[in-house]
Structures are given as C-alpha cells and as structure tokens.
Amino acid sequence: MTSIIRYKQFLSLLLIFPMLLSAGVTGKITGKVVDAGTSEPLIGVNVIVDGTGIGASTDIDGYYNIIGIPPGSYSIRASYIAY
C-alpha cells in the first residue's frame, strides 16, 4: 500500500517539476529616455509596453526598468505630459 502512495507522489513530482522550472521565465526591458536636441535625461516619462498594461516611469537620470515581461518581441511607447 505504501509503495503505491510513494509511486503516486513520485509521479506527481515528475509532472509538476517542469512547470516549476518554466514558471520563472520572464524578461526585463530597460533603457534611458533623453531629449533629442540636448541629450538631457527626461524625468517622469511613462514607458508602456504596447498591448499590455505593463510599464514604468523614468527616474531622475532618465532610466526605466520594466520587469516581468514574457519572452518575445515588443513595441514600447513613451509619453510625457506637455513635451
């Protein structure tokens, strides 16, 4: 009886283990937003991944980090109020 239970536990682990390995596969998009004319960093620019609700704002140096992106190719859009 216990060998059947152990076999079921082993089989369950064998089926679940590959899902656990692939669960952590995400990417990151990083960059810097600067003024085209002066090359000064732009603070507070909203950078959004098109087609998703995922995005970030630039920091004081113009850098942004968007984490938790599934692997693939994406287009991003930047928006800045009154610019």
Side-chain angles (χ1 to χ4, degrees):
M1 186 69 165
T2 59
S3 65
I4 293 173
I5 293 172
R6 288 188 189 272
Y7 177 74
K8 287 182 180 181
Q9 288 174 345
F10 176 75
L11 188 60
S12 296
L13 285 174
L14 211 72
L15 295 173
I16 293 173
F17 189 69
M19 289 187 287
L20 293 174
L21 288 177
S22 67
V25 180
T26 59
K28 175 170 129 175
I29 299 174
T30 62
K32 183 176 183 178
V33 180
V34 296
D35 182 274
T38 64
S39 296
E40 291 291 320
L42 297 176
I43 303 165
V45 176
N46 292 317
V47 181
I48 300 172
V49 180
D50 279 343
T52 69
I54 303 171
S57 293
T58 57
D59 63 12
I60 196 165
D61 297 319
Y63 290 102
Y64 65 90
N65 292 312
I66 304 171
I67 58 173
I69 306 293
S73 297
Y74 296 97
S75 296
I76 59 170
R77 184 178 311 263
S79 63
Y80 197 46
I81 295 176
Y83 195 79

